[in-house]
Amino acid sequence: MMKFDFGRANFKAPTAIVRLGFAISAIMLAIATSSVSLAASKATIDRDAKATLDKLYKNNPGAKALGDKSVAVLVFPSIVKGGFIIAGQFGDGALRKNGKSVAYYRSLAASYGFQAGAQAFGYVLFFMDEDSLRYLDKSGGFELGTGPSLVVLDSGFGKNLSTTTLQKGIYAFIFDQKGLMGGVGIQGTKITKINPS
């Protein structure tokens, strides 16, 4: 048995289950980081990013207002997350300026804790100033939650947020959560530039 300490609660798990969790997570991360045939093409990423933004703007006027005020929008149409004890999540997206994709990025994260299952979701980052946008490619990758201020918005944010106050930082909007794994988080996610074909 292996023992884990999650705050005040202790959790004992059979070694075989923990090993299975590590194996599943390692396979997922290997798939996510490989640039072989699983990487989407530029055309696919562009199509999905545009469709995602169109749908988001249509269904959420607050998101449209953010998009109109932002200097750039980074769209990850689909992030896949799965694992047992240790989980990985990944997906490809496009940075859009003036309605066009100008660069491509991969979102990659790992987490551990009492978790099991799989899910999919998408998220959009609204860059409100040039300094925040420049930070995106700093040091070969950008970890969400470090650097420029990051505000994660919920679906009701449009009612409580004035676009006159949106001047700096990054605003994140998570949408379309599907699957059997509770809780979606993007804090600690690493975003790196990619060059799809």
Side-chain angles (χ1 to χ4, degrees):
M1 291 266 209
M2 293 185 76
K3 183 178 174 185
F4 294 91
D5 185 4
F6 299 109
R8 293 183 193 159
N10 289 328
F11 172 70
K12 292 183 180 181
T15 305
I17 293 174
V18 174
R19 286 187 182 148
L20 176 63
F22 280 110
I24 291 170
S25 299
I27 290 167
M28 285 192 61
L29 288 175
I31 289 169
T33 56
S34 79
S35 56
V36 241
S37 60
L38 292 177
S41 67
K42 281 184 184 179
T44 301
I45 296 170
D46 285 341
R47 181 195 68 224
D48 292 348
K50 183 181 181 324
T52 296
L53 272 184
D54 289 347
K55 181 180 173 187
L56 182 64
Y57 289 167
K58 180 181 177 185
N59 296 329
N60 194 311
K64 175 77 168 98
L66 271 174
D68 290 345
K69 277 202 80 120
S70 66
V71 296
V73 179
L74 181 52
V75 186
F76 289 101
S78 180
I79 301 293
V80 177
K81 179 179 181 179
F84 179 77
I85 306 292
I86 297 175
Q89 66 187 46
F90 66 94
D92 293 340
L95 180 68
R96 297 180 60 84
K97 288 176 104 174
N98 302 317
K100 295 184 180 175
S101 295
V102 296
Y104 302 90
Y105 293 84
R106 178 157 294 150
S107 174
L108 189 62
S111 59
Y112 64 91
F114 193 65
Q115 57 190 341
Q119 71 180 178
F121 63 96
Y123 72 94
V124 177
L125 299 177
F126 297 94
F127 291 84
M128 304 312 291
D129 62 292
E130 291 292 343
D131 286 341
S132 297
L133 184 58
R134 275 191 288 277
Y135 199 87
L136 180 61
D137 290 319
K138 187 177 181 183
S139 306
F142 171 37
E143 186 175 330
L144 294 178
T146 63
S149 70
L150 173 70
V151 177
V152 179
L153 304 166
D154 64 17
S155 57
F157 77 89
K159 299 171 189 148
N160 304 322
L161 192 65
S162 165
T163 56
T164 57
T165 62
L166 304 173
Q167 305 197 1
K168 291 188 173 190
I170 303 167
Y171 290 82
F173 187 74
I174 301 170
F175 54 89
D176 287 348
Q177 181 181 352
K178 297 177 187 102
L180 299 173
M181 191 172 234
V184 170
I186 58 172
Q187 206 80 349
T189 297
K190 184 88 168 189
I191 297 174
T192 52
K193 198 167 194 176
I194 58 171
N195 295 304
S197 57

